[in-house]
Amino acid sequence: MAGNNLQSTISVHGRTLYPTCKLLNSSKMLGFSLQSRTDRGLIVCSAVGHNTLNSDELGLRNPTRTSEILELIDQGEKTLANSGKFGRFGGIFVPETLITCLKKLEVEFNWVLHDPQFQEELSIALKDYVGRETPLYFAERLTNYYRNKNGEGPEIYLKREDLTHGGAHKINNAMAQAMLAKRMGRKSIVAATGAGQHGVATAAACAKLGLDCTIFMGSIDMQRQSSNVLLMEHTGAQVKSVAGTFKDATSEAIRSCVGNLQGSYYLAGTAVGPHPCPSMVREFQTVIGKETRKQAMEKWSGKPDVLVACVGSGSNALGLFHEFIRDEDVRLIGVEAAGYGIDSGKHSATLAKGEVGVYHGAMSYLLQDDEGQIIGPHSIGVGLEYPGVSPELSFLKDIGRAEFYSITDEEALEAYTRLCRLEGIFPALEAAHALAYLEKLCPTLASGTKVVVNCSGRGDKDAGTVFKYQHKMEGEQEQSE
Amino acid sequence: MAVTLKTTFFFQSKAGGGDSLPRIKPFRFKAPMATLSTVPTVGLSETFSKLKQQGKLAFIPYITAGDPDLSTTAQALKVLDSCGSDIIELGVPYSDPLADGPVIQAAATRSLARGTNFDKIVAMLKDVVPQLSCPIALFSYYNPILKRGVEKFMITLKDAGIHGLVVPDVPLEETGILRKEAASNNVELVLLTTPTTPIPRMKAIVEASEGFVYLVSSVGVTGARASVSDKVQSLLHEIKEVTSKPVAVGFGISKPEHVKQVAKWGADGVIVGSAMVKLLSEAKSPEEGLKELENFTKSLKAALL
């Protein structure tokens, strides 16, 4: 394997020389071997110096790619390196004031991807603080539930992101970015949160790293997910209320950052926003997919056949999917929130019902009205309420690599209860959307198909909501009897 | 008749520099029944060159369309024009204005809640623009333009007699299609440069900008500030080293002192937004707001003398 000297004389944040470093030979426990990162994901950007590794030397790339989809994925990676776009999606659509700051962030991000010291620190953080690796759990009773009369049916595995510190996959990204921000010399972190999970994760990471933390949260969300607000405040973070929901909190967080670009760092919680935010978040979440590959190999000496994840903006879905996008024999299924129904006007199914537009800095599918004004979405899964979606998922939809469906509030609520009863696991209502899709998916799958569902968070925060719904259903039933 | 009287009154007050003429009857701003055909307005660049010949700075106020309502906006445009504005920036309200501070955000929210939409704004402009002596530049975020279609949007602007456009959330790299369609419809696309823009990038922006160069005075969103940053002086200097295009300074300017300062530093124009919008929004009635707008504009214009 070729040794690699990475050196740059570009002065970024006052640093002029980066130490020379060799690539690691051994893959770390979490699969952060740098050679695979050079092969996939972000290509080293031109400011840092061209990657000196030849992919043939690495012996990883299969030279005989004939599939159209794989070619499109390759092209997507090229446009990403050149202009921050996944095909026609993504890009940097922000006021000029932010451009230089984002470019610096991109350079910094590319550095940490190839910095063994950062990678090592991150893996220790993910192991000892976040609690990785999370189990790939065989849900036996859920599997049996979906067997047909002949006892045939797929095997359902749950990727237990609900067992991470904080209770959701958000911590993977929050910890990595907080470390990145600290390395960049930023003292204060700004973030926006919907369900509160990203807020809690960011607040926790900041407490651990000794950084100031301000979280913007919609006033409506603060009421719906009040337990998370308390947790944030306990860590010392300042929680600022913004009229509205997550989309309004995001806009306000970005505005507050614009006023203090040197000192503050906007910690994107999900794979949306101007480049490099979607790529950064996806890259830090991709640990989910890497672990899944390793665990699948250990458990059944193979790969998963179908991956299912809920889609709000796309961070947990991309975290699971990205590792497998070149494995065309792995089906990628994203499940969006249909709210009161896909035609009700009260939903958050951006990929199903949106049109392409520019929002929060990126070109992507978007729920907008005829005037191009942004529509406030709805879902019982608060973390799924976002009118936009990751540009990378928009790209995967366009090229036909991933499939997207939607699930109503009611179906998600039922799935919550089902998992509680069958496995004793409490899924977040967001993740319950992915679980609910199994009802439609399983009858169509061949027996023994390996299905991995991303259980992206735990549902303690939703127990009250589900209870109220059940109560209401029982009340209505009694009335009709 | 009333229309003619009104026009004469305006011209007289401009020259007089104050409200010294006795009023015969209470003034009520009414939309005239017939559109007055004044001299067709010239574009942004031409406006600047004319002013330069006269040794004057351009005064460019900004207001949000539809706040408190479109008919007040129509009147406000006329007031601003008659008080000597050289170019007027009109903001199209948007649900998620990332570059705007609380004042303009709130104005956009109120305007949208009243049902303002682009078609209504255009209809109002088609009526008002022929009565104005100064050109209008529209200020709009990118998504509503994309939704309509860039080509269609520019044609609409041309038909309404709009001379300029500012789109704050499109970086230089993405302006290709906007510039192309704007050029074929005689709309000048103004680009922004900021204190965080490195010089090579600033050069590229300045090269591509039409009409004038919009220099953002501070790192942040729109909104009045206590003073204008000293950096503006060196930024103006840097820009003027690489271009002869006119440079107007905006964001945060709200007092005659600010205007004087920026003029002294060598700007070719000043843009005043939030301060204007605030006056209209905090007034007890639209009529009062328009009156305050008139007084404020005059005080700022006086600082340019």
Side-chain angles (χ1 to χ4, degrees):
Chain A
M1 202 204 67
N4 186 30
N5 286 331
L6 287 179
Q7 244 182 325
S8 168
T9 53
I10 292 171
S11 162
V12 174
H13 306 295
R15 263 184 279 184
T16 50
L17 259 182
Y18 286 94
T20 57
C21 49
K22 288 214 172 105
L23 281 190
L24 298 170
N25 281 326
S26 60
S27 52
K28 290 275 177 188
M29 187 185 69
L30 295 175
F32 275 121
S33 50
L34 296 179
Q35 55 264 41
S36 67
R37 193 175 302 288
T38 322
D39 181 52
R40 285 197 285 274
L42 280 179
I43 301 165
V44 177
C45 80
S46 56
V48 174
H50 294 285
N51 47 334
T52 54
L53 278 176
N54 188 319
S55 49
D56 287 342
E57 285 173 13
L58 293 172
L60 286 174
R61 206 180 271 267
N62 178 359
T64 57
R65 287 187 196 285
T66 52
S67 153
E68 202 182 292
I69 285 192
L70 289 176
E71 269 173 36
L72 288 167
I73 292 175
D74 282 340
Q75 272 172 35
E77 258 173 34
K78 284 207 185 82
T79 52
L80 187 64
N82 290 336
S83 58
K85 287 190 167 167
F86 302 91
R88 60 177 171 138
F89 300 105
I92 310 180
F93 290 89
V94 291
E96 174 60 32
T97 311
L98 290 173
I99 298 282
T100 306
C101 166
L102 286 169
K103 292 212 187 261
K104 280 188 186 164
L105 182 60
E106 187 183 351
V107 171
E108 198 68 43
F109 170 55
N110 274 292
W111 267 114
V112 302
L113 282 190
H114 293 81
D115 179 358
Q117 196 185 348
F118 183 86
Q119 298 293 341
E120 197 161 332
E121 276 185 66
L122 181 59
S123 13
I124 294 170
L126 289 173
K127 173 171 166 265
D128 290 348
Y129 186 76
V130 172
R132 301 208 74 93
E133 53 186 61
T134 57
L136 183 64
Y137 166 75
F138 175 54
E140 190 173 354
R141 289 194 71 203
L142 193 63
T143 300
N144 292 340
Y145 174 82
Y146 287 119
R147 289 196 196 285
N148 63 16
K149 298 190 294 277
N150 305 327
E152 294 162 346
E155 288 174 22
I156 319 282
Y157 292 82
L158 301 180
K159 183 60 176 150
R160 303 293 307 278
E161 292 301 298
D162 57 306
L163 291 176
T164 55
H165 168 49
H169 70 292
K170 297 291 188 187
I171 186 77
N172 304 328
N173 165 63
M175 178 49 78
Q177 281 203 56
M179 285 168 60
L180 176 62
K182 188 161 186 185
R183 176 189 160 107
M184 287 167 75
R186 303 290 170 85
K187 296 277 184 287
S188 84
I189 308 290
V190 172
T193 189
Q197 292 301 137
H198 175 61
V200 169
T202 307
C206 288
K208 192 221 164 351
L209 294 170
L211 300 166
D212 284 331
C213 182
T214 307
I215 307 287
F216 288 85
M217 196 169 178
S219 47
I220 299 172
D221 294 337
M222 282 174 79
Q223 280 176 8
R224 296 193 275 191
Q225 312 270 252
S226 52
S227 55
N228 278 339
V229 177
L230 285 176
L231 287 177
M232 288 183 246
E233 286 175 347
H234 282 313
T235 64
Q238 213 192 359
V239 183
K240 287 195 172 163
S241 173
V242 176
T245 62
F246 176 53
K247 73 170 189 73
D248 309 291
T250 304
S251 298
E252 197 54 41
I254 294 175
R255 280 185 209 112
S256 103
C257 235
V258 173
N260 183 15
L261 289 177
Q262 298 300 330
S264 71
Y265 178 93
Y266 173 72
L267 208 156
T270 188
V272 296
H275 180 70
C277 296
S279 305
M280 265 176 34
V281 174
R282 173 258 284 156
E283 202 59 39
F284 292 136
Q285 289 292 2
T286 208
V287 63
I288 303 174
K290 288 180 161 42
E291 277 178 17
T292 304
R293 186 190 284 283
K294 174 177 158 290
Q295 289 161 326
M297 189 58 76
E298 282 166 4
K299 283 194 180 333
W300 64 79
S301 308
K303 291 189 285 196
D305 298 308
V306 186
L307 299 175
V308 187
C310 64
V311 173
S313 323
S315 63
N316 93 85
L318 284 167
L320 183 61
F321 294 172
H322 186 78
E323 172 66 18
F324 295 97
I325 54 172
R326 284 163 200 278
D327 295 84
E328 287 182 277
D329 48 352
V330 179
R331 260 177 90 183
L332 308 177
I333 297 182
V335 184
E336 293 186 297
Y340 292 164
I342 198 79
D343 295 312
S344 68
K346 288 229 170 270
H347 61 81
S348 189
T350 313
L351 290 165
K353 286 289 192 176
E355 289 170 38
V356 180
V358 165
Y359 186 51
H360 281 158
M363 176 140 344
S364 191
Y365 281 96
L366 171 53
L367 290 174
Q368 51 182 307
D369 65 15
D370 293 330
E371 290 285 311
Q373 306 287 354
I374 312 302
I375 295 179
H378 161 77
S379 170
I380 193 85
V382 176
L384 300 181
E385 269 186 358
Y386 185 66
V389 76
S390 166
E392 190 168 355
L393 282 182
S394 297
F395 174 67
L396 292 177
K397 172 185 149 96
D398 255 23
I399 66 174
R401 179 65 188 95
E403 308 158 49
F404 296 93
Y405 306 101
S406 59
I407 284 291
T408 62
D409 286 353
E410 218 174 291
E411 289 169 307
L413 287 159
E414 281 164 19
Y416 180 103
T417 311
R418 193 178 309 123
L419 194 70
C420 289
R421 297 266 163 91
L422 289 175
E423 297 287 346
I425 296 174
F426 323 96
L429 276 173
E430 294 81 3
H433 284 71
L435 291 160
Y437 188 66
L438 292 173
E439 295 281 293
K440 299 182 182 142
L441 177 67
C442 292
T444 68
L445 296 176
S447 197
T449 310
K450 307 274 193 284
V451 179
V452 174
V453 181
N454 203 4
C455 191
S456 52
R458 69 173 198 243
D460 307 33
K461 61 185 179 69
D462 300 313
T465 308
V466 179
F467 179 73
K468 275 192 210 133
Y469 168 73
Q470 285 169 338
H471 225 59
K472 187 177 137 211
M473 288 289 110
E474 277 164 25
E476 280 171 13
Q477 224 175 3
E478 276 168 22
Q479 275 181 3
S480 61
E481 274 161 14
Chain B
M1 312 307 158
V3 168
T4 323
L5 261 177
K6 225 198 285 192
T7 321
T8 326
F9 182 85
F10 283 150
F11 285 145
Q12 281 180 319
S13 28
K14 241 196 218 172
D19 241 346
S20 48
L21 288 169
R23 288 190 195 167
I24 304 153
K25 56 185 174 183
F27 238 76
R28 296 197 43 226
F29 292 103
K30 268 199 268 197
M33 300 304 287
T35 56
L36 199 65
S37 58
T38 53
V39 178
T41 54
V42 298
L44 309 182
S45 327
E46 244 188 278
T47 305
F48 272 101
S49 3
K50 279 195 180 156
L51 287 166
K52 189 159 182 186
Q53 284 169 4
Q54 300 162 9
K56 289 191 188 157
L57 250 78
F59 178 70
I60 308 174
Y62 163 99
I63 52 172
T64 301
D67 181 51
D69 52 60
L70 276 173
S71 75
T72 309
T73 303
Q75 301 305 336
L77 290 173
K78 292 181 214 167
V79 166
L80 289 168
D81 181 38
S82 71
C83 291
S85 302
D86 301 294
I87 296 170
I88 304 175
E89 252 191 63
L90 186 64
V92 178
Y94 180 52
S95 55
D96 290 66
L98 276 189
D100 286 312
V103 171
I104 297 181
Q105 271 178 59
T109 309
R110 283 189 299 264
S111 175
L112 289 171
R114 276 198 80 100
T116 308
N117 62 31
F118 188 64
D119 287 333
K120 288 181 185 166
I121 296 173
V122 167
M124 179 273 288
L125 286 170
K126 281 188 171 161
D127 191 45
V128 173
V129 164
Q131 302 172 55
L132 301 173
S133 63
C134 71
I136 302 269
L138 225 56
F139 187 103
S140 171
Y141 285 84
Y142 197 31
N143 197 54
I145 300 176
L146 271 183
K147 175 76 182 156
R148 207 156 272 269
V150 180
E151 196 185 335
K152 255 196 192 161
F153 182 85
M154 295 298 180
I155 293 173
T156 311
L157 256 55
K158 181 180 75 175
D159 289 344
I162 305 294
H163 286 280
L165 179 66
V166 183
V167 187
D169 57 348
V170 174
L172 178 65
E173 295 81 356
E174 303 286 349
T175 52
I177 180 164
L178 279 172
R179 276 190 277 155
K180 176 168 165 278
E181 295 300 336
S184 24
N185 287 285
N186 280 329
V187 173
E188 291 170 291
L189 185 71
V190 175
L191 300 182
L192 299 94
T193 181
T194 74
T196 59
T197 309
I199 292 182
R201 188 179 168 83
M202 177 271 281
K203 279 189 186 159
I205 290 173
V206 151
E207 175 76 21
S209 187
E210 290 155 19
F212 62 93
V213 175
Y214 193 134
L215 172 59
V216 174
S217 70
S218 53
V219 179
V221 294
T222 61
R225 287 152 168 92
S227 60
V228 187
S229 161
D230 291 339
K231 270 196 89 179
V232 172
Q233 189 177 15
S234 53
L235 288 166
L236 275 168
H237 184 71
E238 276 168 13
I239 298 173
K240 288 196 167 281
E241 277 195 338
V242 301
T243 187
S244 57
K245 286 185 190 169
V247 184
V249 181
F251 279 47
I253 298 174
S254 57
K255 297 183 189 143
E257 300 86 74
H258 298 164
V259 169
K260 267 206 179 85
Q261 183 79 84
V262 166
K264 226 189 336 170
W265 283 336
D268 302 295
V270 285
I271 302 164
V272 181
S274 298
M276 298 271 164
V277 174
K278 206 167 181 212
L279 277 179
L280 280 176
S281 70
E282 286 180 353
K284 295 194 192 78
S285 69
E287 289 77 26
E288 202 186 289
L290 289 167
K291 188 72 212 153
E292 298 207 15
L293 198 73
E294 192 183 340
N295 292 340
F296 184 57
T297 308
K298 284 179 178 163
S299 72
L300 292 174
K301 264 299 265 201
L304 285 175
L305 290 169

